Amino acid sequence: MNSMDLKRAEKLSFNLLLASAALAVVIFLVVSLTGDGWAKIAGFFMGFCVGGFLAVVPALYSGYILVKTNANSANLRSVLALSVVWFMTVCALYVF
């Protein structure tokens, strides 16, 4: 994999992580603006959980690229770490 392909993979994995975060914010806004009372708390929790479950996609992609190319990319490692931490936090919320 050449340098241009690696930069494209880094950008795609980061955009996937941003998309899951943006979806979490959209879910929070929709639930909190359409509900009343506890809707803001429920919207935050719902957005956090849906975004965390979708954070598996950038984690899998960046992990696959790191293993496939054996690249030493700090950006891919950062996306992998953030995605895995977010997903594990959501899993911990459901377990406890």
Side-chain angles (χ1 to χ4, degrees):
M1 182 176 259
N2 60 17
S3 174
M4 189 64 116
D5 291 337
L6 185 62
K7 290 290 182 189
R8 188 176 306 128
E10 288 175 348
K11 188 175 181 179
L12 180 60
S13 66
F14 184 72
N15 286 340
L16 286 170
L17 182 63
L18 281 181
S20 61
L23 183 65
V25 170
V26 167
I27 289 173
F28 166 69
L29 289 175
V30 167
V31 172
S32 64
L33 292 177
T34 58
D36 57 345
W38 288 87
K40 290 181 182 169
I41 296 170
F44 174 77
F45 184 74
M46 184 185 229
F48 185 75
C49 291
V50 170
F53 284 131
L54 289 178
V56 170
V57 175
L60 290 175
Y61 180 74
S62 60
Y64 172 74
I65 295 296
L66 281 172
V67 169
K68 178 184 167 189
T69 63
N70 201 9
N72 192 8
S73 172
N75 290 340
L76 287 174
R77 287 184 184 173
S78 298
V79 169
L80 179 64
L82 288 172
S83 300
V84 168
V85 166
W86 191 3
F87 178 71
M88 295 306 279
T89 305
V90 170
C91 290
L93 284 174
Y94 274 107
V95 169
F96 299 115

